[in-house]
């Protein structure tokens, strides 16, 4: 069973960078697509990025495209979200989530929906100051 723990959040100045990590202690991590979502106060949880189980595809929200990079290391049961050129609008709690990906070809329409995912971490706070 997948157990996800996020880390790497913190306070950073605008224009700075952070790298978030999502660690899993389960035995079948390689079978799951992993998504990153974020939620700011008063807003709905929104899609940030996702990667299929073998990293054959990656997806990004328009708001982060070109600034954020998702990657995974299945041998280490780790997924990363490199965040560059951060701005205050990126301030949110960031969550990683796992979706059992039978085909290995999860499409954007599914990968970008929170209700697609089966497991969620507790989140890590990212605060970007101006």
């Amino acid at each position: 069973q997948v157990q996800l723990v996020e880390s790497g959040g913190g306070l950073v100045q605008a224009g700075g960078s952070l790298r978030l990590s999502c660690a899993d202690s389960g035995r079948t991590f390689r079978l799951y697509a992993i998504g990153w979502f974020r939620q700011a106060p008063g807003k709905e949880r929104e899609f940030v990025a996702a990667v299929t189980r073998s990293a054959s595809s990656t997806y990004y929200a328009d708001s982060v495209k070109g600034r954020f990079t998702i990657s995974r290391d299945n041998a280490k049961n780790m997924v990363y979200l490199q965040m560059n050129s951060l701005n205050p609008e990126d301030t949110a709690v960031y969550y990683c989530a796992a979706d059992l990906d039978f085909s290995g070809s999860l499409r954007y329409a599914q990968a970008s929906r929170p209700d697609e995912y089966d497991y969620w971490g507790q989140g890590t706070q990212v605060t970007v100051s101006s």
Side-chain angles (χ1 to χ4, degrees), residues 11-127:
L11 176 64
V12 65
Q13 293 183 342
S17 298
L18 285 173
R19 191 183 199 188
L20 305 184
S21 298
C22 177
D24 173 59
S25 61
R27 301 177 181 178
T28 57
F29 179 80
R30 61 183 174 83
L31 301 180
Y32 290 82
I34 301 296
W36 284 97
F37 294 79
R38 66 188 183 187
Q39 189 166 21
K43 294 186 177 181
E44 294 184 346
R45 190 166 299 186
E46 67 172 341
F47 171 73
V48 176
V51 60
T52 53
R53 67 188 190 190
S54 62
S56 58
S57 298
T58 57
Y59 304 107
Y60 297 94
D62 288 342
S63 60
V64 307
K65 194 172 298 182
R67 299 188 297 123
F68 292 9
T69 302
I70 188 170
S71 61
R72 69 188 298 163
D73 186 342
N74 286 342
K76 297 181 179 179
N77 281 12
M78 296 287 287
V79 171
Y80 307 99
L81 184 68
Q82 178 67 45
M83 306 186 296
N84 299 324
S85 301
L86 287 163
N87 60 67
E89 293 181 348
D90 296 315
T91 295
V93 177
Y94 283 70
Y95 301 88
C96 65
D99 174 39
L100 185 59
D101 186 4
F102 289 104
S103 69
S105 59
L106 191 69
R107 298 173 68 87
Y108 176 86
Q110 289 75 45
S112 62
R113 294 185 60 173
D115 59 6
E116 178 71 22
Y117 292 82
D118 304 300
Y119 303 96
W120 291 83
Q122 294 298 306
T124 184
Q125 177 71 48
V126 172
T127 302

